[in-house]
Amino acid sequence: MFQTLYSYFWWERLWLPANLTWADLEDRDGRVYAKASDLYITLPLAFLFLVVRHLFETYVATPLAGLLNVKEKVRLKATPNPVLEKFYAATSKHPKQADVELLSKKSGCTVRQVERWFRRRRNQDRPSLLKKFREASWRFTFYLIAFIAGMAVIVDKPWFYDLREVWKGYPIQSMLPSQYWYYMIELSFYWSLLFSIASDVKRKDFKEQIIHHVATIILISFSWFANYVRAGTLIMALHDSSDYLLESAKMFNYAGWRNTCNNIFIVFAAVFIITRLVILPFWIMHCTVVYPLDLYPAFFGYYFFNFMMVVLQSLHIFWAYLIIRMAQKFITGKVVEDERSDREETDNSEEEEEVAKNGPLSNGHPVLNNNHRKTD
């Protein structure tokens, strides 16, 4: 049964145009072709990326955060309460009004105290500013290096300037060592993102991020199997061109460098919209949809590859909407912040007045502050 499924999966009509077989893509006469077995190395490389990331965040990003004076906000802790904690963990982090009133009776707290407890408890679970900074630093470093490496791989190739060259001689196109390593590193990195997504900072587009990572892994893997390597390198470099700008804007935002953050964000927004909403659909997707039909009839792989491109493009439109919302805030003079992030909740109570007079509280007691400086 396994052998039958294997043979169906690698049926040539799924992956290759008509009249071509896998035998046509065997290495010969100095030509080297992409092979499915090459991708096995990406899984151990993905775990290596996780190790490197941990070392980078510990020994590079953390000291950098100190140099940039990344400061944590003072968070008031929720006082231990077994009744409320049980509801928070097992039922909901956002209780309805009826639940609040019921919990008030069970816990012996007032309704206002219960609401305040849940606000503080949710804030405790939110990732720290240092965690966000470290994560942004790691992604900034990778995306910047990947973009530079990607441009080095494709800038001297004829298909970088003439997209019809992408399909010249397809699929009998020999693979270059630079293309091999570019693919292996990019795919390994996205595997590592998928493996770490549960522990990374969760944003409002968490589900979209999972879809993006899975779609990207499938697209990179399929383009490798079907020898769409030239198109794949163009698409990966195009995506990396704006990602490092976003991560650098986040870093400066966490460090409190608002003007620098806003200026980088505007550059990022322009690059994102040009690359993802103009170049990708009207140049790259036109190249993958129209030009191949001049050489061979459409087959399953052709439809599948372009379907995954449409999935990615749909996500780009969604993120462009969020970016435009942030750009509007910038233009109107409001602070630019990540629309995908949860905001800190504050206590609108008499206790805030006490904080303003006596300094921050810890479990209901004032914290001595001999510096007499306001904490951001």
Side-chain angles (χ1 to χ4, degrees):
M1 180 179 176
F2 176 79
Q3 186 62 36
T4 302
L5 292 175
Y6 182 85
S7 61
Y8 275 123
F9 182 80
W10 292 111
W11 184 38
E12 287 146 338
R13 295 288 68 81
L14 292 177
W15 302 93
L16 301 174
N19 301 322
L20 285 169
T21 67
W22 293 118
D24 295 315
L25 297 181
E26 292 180 356
D27 298 348
R28 64 171 66 90
D29 301 327
R31 290 179 176 269
V32 179
Y33 298 100
K35 306 173 187 64
S37 58
D38 294 333
L39 300 188
Y40 289 139
I41 195 177
T42 62
L43 292 178
L45 281 179
F47 287 103
L48 179 60
F49 262 119
L50 294 177
V51 174
V52 173
R53 172 181 174 175
H54 174 73
L55 296 174
F56 177 89
E57 291 184 350
T58 303
Y59 297 106
V60 179
T62 300
L64 180 61
L67 290 174
L68 294 178
N69 202 24
V70 176
K71 293 182 178 179
E72 295 287 354
K73 292 182 179 179
V74 176
R75 293 179 177 178
L76 303 180
K77 294 183 179 181
T79 55
N81 190 308
V83 174
L84 301 182
E85 186 66 39
K86 181 179 179 181
F87 185 92
Y88 180 88
T91 306
S92 174
K93 298 180 180 181
H94 297 269
K96 298 178 180 178
Q97 189 59 36
D99 295 324
V100 170
E101 293 174 358
L102 183 61
L103 289 169
S104 174
K105 295 176 181 178
K106 289 183 177 180
S107 63
C109 302
T110 66
V111 169
R112 197 167 189 177
Q113 287 173 331
V114 172
E115 292 172 343
R116 183 188 306 141
W117 188 93
F118 274 91
R119 281 195 297 269
R120 294 182 180 178
R121 186 64 182 83
R122 287 192 295 267
N123 281 339
Q124 285 179 223
D125 281 351
R126 287 186 171 86
S128 67
L129 202 61
L130 178 59
K131 178 179 175 63
K132 292 180 180 179
F133 181 88
R134 287 165 46 152
E135 181 179 311
S137 299
W138 165 247
R139 296 193 183 196
F140 163 76
T141 303
F142 175 82
Y143 289 136
L144 179 60
I145 294 174
F147 174 64
I148 295 172
M151 292 304 296
V153 168
I154 65 175
V155 73
D156 61 338
K157 306 300 186 295
W159 54 87
F160 180 72
Y161 305 95
D162 181 3
L163 292 179
R164 288 189 179 275
E165 291 286 332
V166 167
W167 305 109
K168 186 177 180 179
Y170 176 84
I172 311 302
Q173 297 173 338
S174 183
M175 179 188 59
L176 302 174
S178 59
Q179 294 172 325
Y180 172 85
W181 284 110
Y182 188 35
Y183 255 80
M184 297 305 107
I185 291 172
E186 284 276 354
L187 184 55
S188 300
F189 179 74
Y190 279 103
W191 273 120
S192 73
L193 290 184
L194 190 63
F195 295 155
S196 65
I197 196 168
S199 59
D200 287 344
V201 175
K202 290 184 174 60
R203 306 183 188 277
K204 294 178 182 178
D205 64 344
F206 178 73
K207 293 179 181 178
E208 289 81 4
Q209 285 284 354
I210 294 178
I211 294 172
H212 174 269
H213 297 340
V214 172
T216 301
I217 289 170
I218 292 174
L219 193 57
I220 293 175
S221 300
F222 178 83
S223 66
W224 184 260
F225 297 157
N227 208 26
Y228 276 37
V229 174
R230 293 182 181 180
T233 54
L234 290 174
I235 294 167
M236 290 187 295
L238 189 71
H239 279 73
D240 291 334
S241 64
S242 62
D243 288 340
Y244 70 92
L245 292 169
L246 175 61
E247 300 302 331
S248 63
K250 289 180 185 178
M251 292 169 61
F252 285 113
N253 180 46
Y254 301 145
W257 296 29
R258 301 297 184 189
N259 290 335
T260 304
C261 166
N262 291 343
N263 292 332
I264 294 176
F265 174 79
I266 292 302
V267 176
F268 156 74
V271 173
F272 183 94
I273 291 172
I274 292 171
T275 56
R276 309 289 181 92
L277 300 187
V278 179
I279 295 178
L280 184 65
F282 296 108
W283 270 269
I284 304 298
M285 291 183 68
H286 182 267
C287 169
T288 62
V289 172
V290 177
Y291 294 162
L293 299 181
D294 296 336
L295 302 175
Y296 52 80
F299 63 106
F300 172 81
Y302 164 87
Y303 290 116
F304 180 79
F305 181 85
N306 286 294
F307 170 75
M308 297 307 297
M309 291 290 291
V310 170
V311 172
L312 281 182
Q313 186 59 33
S314 300
L315 292 171
H316 296 156
I317 294 171
F318 168 75
W319 283 317
Y321 165 73
L322 298 181
I323 291 169
I324 291 171
R325 284 183 57 179
M326 287 187 279
Q328 287 176 335
K329 291 184 177 182
F330 173 78
I331 293 171
T332 56
K334 297 180 180 178
V335 176
V336 173
E337 57 184 281
D338 195 340
E339 284 284 340
R340 303 173 301 157
S341 299
D342 288 335
R343 294 173 176 82
E344 288 278 329
E345 298 177 84
T346 57
D347 293 334
N348 296 316
S349 64
E350 299 90 343
E351 196 163 296
E352 280 190 327
E353 297 177 7
E354 188 175 350
V355 171
K357 295 177 182 178
N358 303 321
L361 304 182
S362 176
N363 296 328
H365 301 286
V367 175
L368 294 178
N369 183 357
N370 296 325
N371 297 326
H372 302 290
R373 294 175 60 187
K374 184 178 179 181
T375 304
D376 291 335

